[in-house]
PDB file of all heavy atoms in Angstrom:
ATOM      1  N   PHE R   1      17.214 103.361  78.958  1.00  0.00           N
ATOM      2  CA  PHE R   1      18.304 102.829  78.140  1.00  0.00           C
ATOM      3  C   PHE R   1      17.880 102.679  76.684  1.00  0.00           C
ATOM      4  O   PHE R   1      16.818 102.133  76.393  1.00  0.00           O
ATOM      5  CB  PHE R   1      18.749 101.456  78.665  1.00  0.00           C
ATOM      6  CG  PHE R   1      19.456 101.515  79.978  1.00  0.00           C
ATOM      7  CD1 PHE R   1      18.783 101.252  81.154  1.00  0.00           C
ATOM      8  CD2 PHE R   1      20.801 101.845  80.044  1.00  0.00           C
ATOM      9  CE1 PHE R   1      19.429 101.303  82.374  1.00  0.00           C
ATOM     10  CE2 PHE R   1      21.462 101.900  81.255  1.00  0.00           C
ATOM     11  CZ  PHE R   1      20.780 101.629  82.430  1.00  0.00           C
ATOM     12  N   THR R   2      18.723 103.157  75.783  1.00  0.00           N
ATOM     13  CA  THR R   2      18.537 102.978  74.346  1.00  0.00           C
ATOM     14  C   THR R   2      19.596 102.031  73.802  1.00  0.00           C
ATOM     15  O   THR R   2      19.334 101.264  72.881  1.00  0.00           O
ATOM     16  CB  THR R   2      18.631 104.343  73.620  1.00  0.00           C
ATOM     17  OG1 THR R   2      17.670 105.225  74.208  1.00  0.00           O
ATOM     18  CG2 THR R   2      18.349 104.208  72.143  1.00  0.00           C
ATOM     19  N   TYR R   3      20.807 102.107  74.387  1.00  0.00           N
ATOM     20  CA  TYR R   3      21.925 101.251  73.994  1.00  0.00           C
ATOM     21  C   TYR R   3      22.416 100.473  75.213  1.00  0.00           C
ATOM     22  O   TYR R   3      22.331 100.950  76.344  1.00  0.00           O
ATOM     23  CB  TYR R   3      23.072 102.085  73.415  1.00  0.00           C
ATOM     24  CG  TYR R   3      22.691 102.772  72.135  1.00  0.00           C
ATOM     25  CD1 TYR R   3      22.169 104.054  72.148  1.00  0.00           C
ATOM     26  CD2 TYR R   3      22.809 102.112  70.908  1.00  0.00           C
ATOM     27  CE1 TYR R   3      21.785 104.677  70.969  1.00  0.00           C
ATOM     28  CE2 TYR R   3      22.425 102.723  69.736  1.00  0.00           C
ATOM     29  CZ  TYR R   3      21.906 104.010  69.771  1.00  0.00           C
ATOM     30  OH  TYR R   3      21.522 104.609  68.603  1.00  0.00           O
ATOM     31  N   CYS R   4      22.959  99.320  74.985  1.00  0.00           N
ATOM     32  CA  CYS R   4      23.466  98.468  76.053  1.00  0.00           C
ATOM     33  C   CYS R   4      24.683  99.132  76.695  1.00  0.00           C
ATOM     34  O   CYS R   4      25.646  99.471  75.988  1.00  0.00           O
ATOM     35  CB  CYS R   4      23.851  97.094  75.499  1.00  0.00           C
ATOM     36  SG  CYS R   4      24.583  96.011  76.745  1.00  0.00           S
ATOM     37  N   PRO R   5      24.667  99.314  78.020  1.00  0.00           N
ATOM     38  CA  PRO R   5      25.828  99.917  78.677  1.00  0.00           C
ATOM     39  C   PRO R   5      27.027  98.972  78.745  1.00  0.00           C
ATOM     40  O   PRO R   5      28.137  99.400  79.052  1.00  0.00           O
ATOM     41  CB  PRO R   5      25.306 100.251  80.083  1.00  0.00           C
ATOM     42  CG  PRO R   5      24.142  99.363  80.289  1.00  0.00           C
ATOM     43  CD  PRO R   5      23.566  99.072  78.945  1.00  0.00           C
ATOM     44  N   GLU R   6      26.831  97.694  78.435  1.00  0.00           N
ATOM     45  CA  GLU R   6      27.924  96.721  78.458  1.00  0.00           C
ATOM     46  C   GLU R   6      28.646  96.636  77.111  1.00  0.00           C
ATOM     47  O   GLU R   6      29.853  96.704  77.043  1.00  0.00           O
ATOM     48  CB  GLU R   6      27.385  95.329  78.836  1.00  0.00           C
ATOM     49  CG  GLU R   6      26.742  95.265  80.205  1.00  0.00           C
ATOM     50  CD  GLU R   6      27.716  95.514  81.337  1.00  0.00           C
ATOM     51  OE1 GLU R   6      28.881  95.075  81.235  1.00  0.00           O
ATOM     52  OE2 GLU R   6      27.313  96.151  82.320  1.00  0.00           O
ATOM     53  N   CYS R   7      27.859  96.447  76.027  1.00  0.00           N
ATOM     54  CA  CYS R   7      28.492  96.223  74.712  1.00  0.00           C
ATOM     55  C   CYS R   7      28.197  97.307  73.693  1.00  0.00           C
ATOM     56  O   CYS R   7      28.807  97.323  72.622  1.00  0.00           O
ATOM     57  CB  CYS R   7      28.065  94.862  74.161  1.00  0.00           C
ATOM     58  SG  CYS R   7      26.353  94.810  73.600  1.00  0.00           S
ATOM     59  N   GLY R   8      27.257  98.193  73.973  1.00  0.00           N
ATOM     60  CA  GLY R   8      26.948  99.302  73.069  1.00  0.00           C
ATOM     61  C   GLY R   8      25.911  98.988  72.007  1.00  0.00           C
ATOM     62  O   GLY R   8      25.568  99.861  71.206  1.00  0.00           O
ATOM     63  N   ALA R   9      25.401  97.761  71.958  1.00  0.00           N
ATOM     64  CA  ALA R   9      24.400  97.391  70.943  1.00  0.00           C
ATOM     65  C   ALA R   9      23.097  98.136  71.194  1.00  0.00           C
ATOM     66  O   ALA R   9      22.751  98.456  72.332  1.00  0.00           O
ATOM     67  CB  ALA R   9      24.156  95.882  70.977  1.00  0.00           C
ATOM     68  N   LYS R  10      22.365  98.417  70.116  1.00  0.00           N
ATOM     69  CA  LYS R  10      21.049  99.037  70.238  1.00  0.00           C
ATOM     70  C   LYS R  10      20.113  98.045  70.918  1.00  0.00           C
ATOM     71  O   LYS R  10      20.074  96.868  70.567  1.00  0.00           O
ATOM     72  CB  LYS R  10      20.507  99.418  68.862  1.00  0.00           C
ATOM     73  CG  LYS R  10      19.122 100.027  68.905  1.00  0.00           C
ATOM     74  CD  LYS R  10      19.089 101.339  68.179  1.00  0.00           C
ATOM     75  CE  LYS R  10      17.676 101.882  68.106  1.00  0.00           C
ATOM     76  NZ  LYS R  10      17.374 102.806  69.160  1.00  0.00           N
ATOM     77  N   LEU R  11      19.379  98.522  71.912  1.00  0.00           N
ATOM     78  CA  LEU R  11      18.445  97.668  72.628  1.00  0.00           C
ATOM     79  C   LEU R  11      17.128  97.589  71.865  1.00  0.00           C
ATOM     80  O   LEU R  11      16.686  98.568  71.267  1.00  0.00           O
ATOM     81  CB  LEU R  11      18.202  98.209  74.032  1.00  0.00           C
ATOM     82  CG  LEU R  11      19.440  98.318  74.923  1.00  0.00           C
ATOM     83  CD1 LEU R  11      19.085  98.952  76.259  1.00  0.00           C
ATOM     84  CD2 LEU R  11      20.077  96.955  75.132  1.00  0.00           C
ATOM     85  N   LEU R  12      16.521  96.422  71.909  1.00  0.00           N
ATOM     86  CA  LEU R  12      15.248  96.187  71.234  1.00  0.00           C
ATOM     87  C   LEU R  12      14.202  95.831  72.291  1.00  0.00           C
ATOM     88  O   LEU R  12      14.522  95.164  73.283  1.00  0.00           O
ATOM     89  CB  LEU R  12      15.384  95.051  70.228  1.00  0.00           C
ATOM     90  CG  LEU R  12      16.449  95.247  69.150  1.00  0.00           C
ATOM     91  CD1 LEU R  12      16.626  93.974  68.344  1.00  0.00           C
ATOM     92  CD2 LEU R  12      16.070  96.419  68.262  1.00  0.00           C
ATOM     93  N   PRO R  13      12.956  96.257  72.081  1.00  0.00           N
ATOM     94  CA  PRO R  13      11.933  95.902  73.067  1.00  0.00           C
ATOM     95  C   PRO R  13      11.656  94.399  73.048  1.00  0.00           C
ATOM     96  O   PRO R  13      11.562  93.788  71.985  1.00  0.00           O
ATOM     97  CB  PRO R  13      10.708  96.694  72.622  1.00  0.00           C
ATOM     98  CG  PRO R  13      10.993  97.190  71.252  1.00  0.00           C
ATOM     99  CD  PRO R  13      12.456  97.075  70.999  1.00  0.00           C
ATOM    100  N   ARG R  14      11.580  93.822  74.244  1.00  0.00           N
ATOM    101  CA  ARG R  14      11.237  92.414  74.379  1.00  0.00           C
ATOM    102  C   ARG R  14      10.222  92.300  75.514  1.00  0.00           C
ATOM    103  O   ARG R  14      10.432  92.850  76.590  1.00  0.00           O
ATOM    104  CB  ARG R  14      12.457  91.563  74.695  1.00  0.00           C
ATOM    105  CG  ARG R  14      12.053  90.060  74.851  1.00  0.00           C
ATOM    106  CD  ARG R  14      13.187  89.192  75.281  1.00  0.00           C
ATOM    107  NE  ARG R  14      14.008  88.822  74.121  1.00  0.00           N
ATOM    108  CZ  ARG R  14      15.011  87.957  74.182  1.00  0.00           C
ATOM    109  NH1 ARG R  14      15.337  87.393  75.336  1.00  0.00           N
ATOM    110  NH2 ARG R  14      15.712  87.664  73.127  1.00  0.00           N
ATOM    111  N   VAL R  15       9.152  91.579  75.255  1.00  0.00           N
ATOM    112  CA  VAL R  15       8.135  91.382  76.276  1.00  0.00           C
ATOM    113  C   VAL R  15       8.668  90.397  77.309  1.00  0.00           C
ATOM    114  O   VAL R  15       9.092  89.296  76.968  1.00  0.00           O
ATOM    115  CB  VAL R  15       6.806  90.879  75.653  1.00  0.00           C
ATOM    116  CG1 VAL R  15       5.792  90.573  76.742  1.00  0.00           C
ATOM    117  CG2 VAL R  15       6.255  91.918  74.679  1.00  0.00           C
ATOM    118  N   LEU R  16       8.662  90.844  78.573  1.00  0.00           N
ATOM    119  CA  LEU R  16       9.133  90.014  79.677  1.00  0.00           C
ATOM    120  C   LEU R  16       8.004  89.857  80.693  1.00  0.00           C
ATOM    121  O   LEU R  16       7.834  90.679  81.594  1.00  0.00           O
ATOM    122  CB  LEU R  16      10.347  90.638  80.358  1.00  0.00           C
ATOM    123  CG  LEU R  16      11.617  90.749  79.526  1.00  0.00           C
ATOM    124  CD1 LEU R  16      12.708  91.459  80.308  1.00  0.00           C
ATOM    125  CD2 LEU R  16      12.097  89.371  79.103  1.00  0.00           C
ATOM    126  N   GLY R  17       7.202  88.819  80.505  1.00  0.00           N
ATOM    127  CA  GLY R  17       6.120  88.512  81.439  1.00  0.00           C
ATOM    128  C   GLY R  17       5.238  89.706  81.713  1.00  0.00           C
ATOM    129  O   GLY R  17       4.830  90.424  80.799  1.00  0.00           O
ATOM    130  N   ASP R  18       4.978  89.952  82.986  1.00  0.00           N
ATOM    131  CA  ASP R  18       4.101  91.046  83.400  1.00  0.00           C
ATOM    132  C   ASP R  18       4.734  92.420  83.222  1.00  0.00           C
ATOM    133  O   ASP R  18       4.052  93.436  83.345  1.00  0.00           O
ATOM    134  CB  ASP R  18       3.711  90.875  84.873  1.00  0.00           C
ATOM    135  CG  ASP R  18       2.860  89.649  85.116  1.00  0.00           C
ATOM    136  OD1 ASP R  18       2.238  89.160  84.159  1.00  0.00           O
ATOM    137  OD2 ASP R  18       2.829  89.174  86.270  1.00  0.00           O
ATOM    138  N   GLU R  19       6.019  92.468  82.960  1.00  0.00           N
ATOM    139  CA  GLU R  19       6.714  93.748  82.809  1.00  0.00           C
ATOM    140  C   GLU R  19       6.387  94.438  81.489  1.00  0.00           C
ATOM    141  O   GLU R  19       6.614  95.632  81.336  1.00  0.00           O
ATOM    142  CB  GLU R  19       8.239  93.557  82.904  1.00  0.00           C
ATOM    143  CG  GLU R  19       8.714  92.958  84.204  1.00  0.00           C
ATOM    144  CD  GLU R  19       8.389  93.816  85.410  1.00  0.00           C
ATOM    145  OE1 GLU R  19       8.343  95.054  85.305  1.00  0.00           O
ATOM    146  OE2 GLU R  19       8.182  93.225  86.483  1.00  0.00           O
ATOM    147  N   GLY R  20       5.890  93.692  80.526  1.00  0.00           N
ATOM    148  CA  GLY R  20       5.630  94.262  79.206  1.00  0.00           C
ATOM    149  C   GLY R  20       6.920  94.362  78.417  1.00  0.00           C
ATOM    150  O   GLY R  20       7.879  93.635  78.669  1.00  0.00           O
ATOM    151  N   ALA R  21       6.936  95.297  77.460  1.00  0.00           N
ATOM    152  CA  ALA R  21       8.111  95.471  76.607  1.00  0.00           C
ATOM    153  C   ALA R  21       9.206  96.197  77.386  1.00  0.00           C
ATOM    154  O   ALA R  21       8.999  97.277  77.925  1.00  0.00           O
ATOM    155  CB  ALA R  21       7.749  96.235  75.352  1.00  0.00           C
ATOM    156  N   VAL R  22      10.379  95.579  77.433  1.00  0.00           N
ATOM    157  CA  VAL R  22      11.529  96.102  78.163  1.00  0.00           C
ATOM    158  C   VAL R  22      12.706  96.179  77.197  1.00  0.00           C
ATOM    159  O   VAL R  22      12.896  95.277  76.382  1.00  0.00           O
ATOM    160  CB  VAL R  22      11.878  95.154  79.340  1.00  0.00           C
ATOM    161  CG1 VAL R  22      13.147  95.584  80.042  1.00  0.00           C
ATOM    162  CG2 VAL R  22      10.722  95.072  80.319  1.00  0.00           C
ATOM    163  N   PRO R  23      13.521  97.267  77.260  1.00  0.00           N
ATOM    164  CA  PRO R  23      14.721  97.316  76.427  1.00  0.00           C
ATOM    165  C   PRO R  23      15.606  96.094  76.703  1.00  0.00           C
ATOM    166  O   PRO R  23      15.925  95.800  77.855  1.00  0.00           O
ATOM    167  CB  PRO R  23      15.414  98.608  76.855  1.00  0.00           C
ATOM    168  CG  PRO R  23      14.315  99.452  77.436  1.00  0.00           C
ATOM    169  CD  PRO R  23      13.375  98.475  78.084  1.00  0.00           C
ATOM    170  N   PHE R  24      16.004  95.403  75.627  1.00  0.00           N
ATOM    171  CA  PHE R  24      16.716  94.134  75.785  1.00  0.00           C
ATOM    172  C   PHE R  24      17.910  94.111  74.848  1.00  0.00           C
ATOM    173  O   PHE R  24      17.840  94.500  73.684  1.00  0.00           O
ATOM    174  CB  PHE R  24      15.777  92.965  75.455  1.00  0.00           C
ATOM    175  CG  PHE R  24      16.303  91.634  75.875  1.00  0.00           C
ATOM    176  CD1 PHE R  24      16.067  91.155  77.154  1.00  0.00           C
ATOM    177  CD2 PHE R  24      17.055  90.857  75.002  1.00  0.00           C
ATOM    178  CE1 PHE R  24      16.555  89.914  77.552  1.00  0.00           C
ATOM    179  CE2 PHE R  24      17.551  89.624  75.391  1.00  0.00           C
ATOM    180  CZ  PHE R  24      17.306  89.152  76.668  1.00  0.00           C
ATOM    181  N   CYS R  25      19.047  93.630  75.366  1.00  0.00           N
ATOM    182  CA  CYS R  25      20.253  93.478  74.558  1.00  0.00           C
ATOM    183  C   CYS R  25      20.321  92.036  74.073  1.00  0.00           C
ATOM    184  O   CYS R  25      20.473  91.111  74.886  1.00  0.00           O
ATOM    185  CB  CYS R  25      21.501  93.823  75.360  1.00  0.00           C
ATOM    186  SG  CYS R  25      23.015  93.626  74.384  1.00  0.00           S
ATOM    187  N   GLU R  26      20.228  91.853  72.766  1.00  0.00           N
ATOM    188  CA  GLU R  26      20.313  90.508  72.186  1.00  0.00           C
ATOM    189  C   GLU R  26      21.723  89.935  72.348  1.00  0.00           C
ATOM    190  O   GLU R  26      21.884  88.743  72.562  1.00  0.00           O
ATOM    191  CB  GLU R  26      19.933  90.553  70.700  1.00  0.00           C
ATOM    192  CG  GLU R  26      18.512  91.013  70.422  1.00  0.00           C
ATOM    193  CD  GLU R  26      17.447  90.012  70.862  1.00  0.00           C
ATOM    194  OE1 GLU R  26      17.764  88.807  70.973  1.00  0.00           O
ATOM    195  OE2 GLU R  26      16.307  90.433  71.108  1.00  0.00           O
ATOM    196  N   SER R  27      22.745  90.790  72.285  1.00  0.00           N
ATOM    197  CA  SER R  27      24.131  90.327  72.405  1.00  0.00           C
ATOM    198  C   SER R  27      24.456  89.837  73.807  1.00  0.00           C
ATOM    199  O   SER R  27      25.099  88.797  73.982  1.00  0.00           O
ATOM    200  CB  SER R  27      25.105  91.452  72.045  1.00  0.00           C
ATOM    201  OG  SER R  27      24.916  91.870  70.720  1.00  0.00           O
ATOM    202  N   CYS R  28      24.049  90.576  74.809  1.00  0.00           N
ATOM    203  CA  CYS R  28      24.351  90.217  76.206  1.00  0.00           C
ATOM    204  C   CYS R  28      23.255  89.342  76.817  1.00  0.00           C
ATOM    205  O   CYS R  28      23.433  88.836  77.923  1.00  0.00           O
ATOM    206  CB  CYS R  28      24.523  91.481  77.041  1.00  0.00           C
ATOM    207  SG  CYS R  28      25.933  92.505  76.536  1.00  0.00           S
ATOM    208  N   ASP R  29      22.147  89.219  76.108  1.00  0.00           N
ATOM    209  CA  ASP R  29      21.017  88.398  76.555  1.00  0.00           C
ATOM    210  C   ASP R  29      20.514  88.840  77.933  1.00  0.00           C
ATOM    211  O   ASP R  29      20.364  88.036  78.850  1.00  0.00           O
ATOM    212  CB  ASP R  29      21.402  86.910  76.574  1.00  0.00           C
ATOM    213  CG  ASP R  29      20.165  86.012  76.692  1.00  0.00           C
ATOM    214  OD1 ASP R  29      19.113  86.374  76.139  1.00  0.00           O
ATOM    215  OD2 ASP R  29      20.268  84.970  77.365  1.00  0.00           O
ATOM    216  N   ARG R  30      20.270  90.192  78.048  1.00  0.00           N
ATOM    217  CA  ARG R  30      19.754  90.691  79.322  1.00  0.00           C
ATOM    218  C   ARG R  30      18.920  91.949  79.129  1.00  0.00           C
ATOM    219  O   ARG R  30      19.158  92.738  78.220  1.00  0.00           O
ATOM    220  CB  ARG R  30      20.860  90.921  80.330  1.00  0.00           C
ATOM    221  CG  ARG R  30      21.787  92.065  80.047  1.00  0.00           C
ATOM    222  CD  ARG R  30      22.793  92.230  81.149  1.00  0.00           C
ATOM    223  NE  ARG R  30      22.250  93.071  82.202  1.00  0.00           N
ATOM    224  CZ  ARG R  30      22.974  93.801  83.006  1.00  0.00           C
ATOM    225  NH1 ARG R  30      24.289  93.783  82.935  1.00  0.00           N
ATOM    226  NH2 ARG R  30      22.418  94.548  83.922  1.00  0.00           N
ATOM    227  N   PRO R  31      17.937  92.133  80.009  1.00  0.00           N
ATOM    228  CA  PRO R  31      17.096  93.331  79.949  1.00  0.00           C
ATOM    229  C   PRO R  31      17.762  94.492  80.685  1.00  0.00           C
ATOM    230  O   PRO R  31      18.612  94.296  81.559  1.00  0.00           O
ATOM    231  CB  PRO R  31      15.825  92.896  80.688  1.00  0.00           C
ATOM    232  CG  PRO R  31      16.316  91.893  81.678  1.00  0.00           C
ATOM    233  CD  PRO R  31      17.472  91.178  81.007  1.00  0.00           C
TER     234      PRO R  31
END
């Protein structure tokens, strides 16, 4: 995923525990 399939916002990498950097939607607040 490069863009959020829900709202279309560009996803940004966010470190999520042991998963490392995961594409994350700041608008929808979900990986």
Side-chain angles (χ1 to χ4, degrees):
F1 290 98
T2 304
Y3 295 92
C4 177
E6 299 295 323
C7 72
K10 178 127 174 95
L11 300 176
L12 302 172
R14 179 185 278 186
V15 175
L16 295 177
D18 294 339
E19 301 298 329
V22 174
F24 193 87
C25 179
E26 298 291 337
S27 299
C28 296
D29 194 34
R30 70 177 273 207

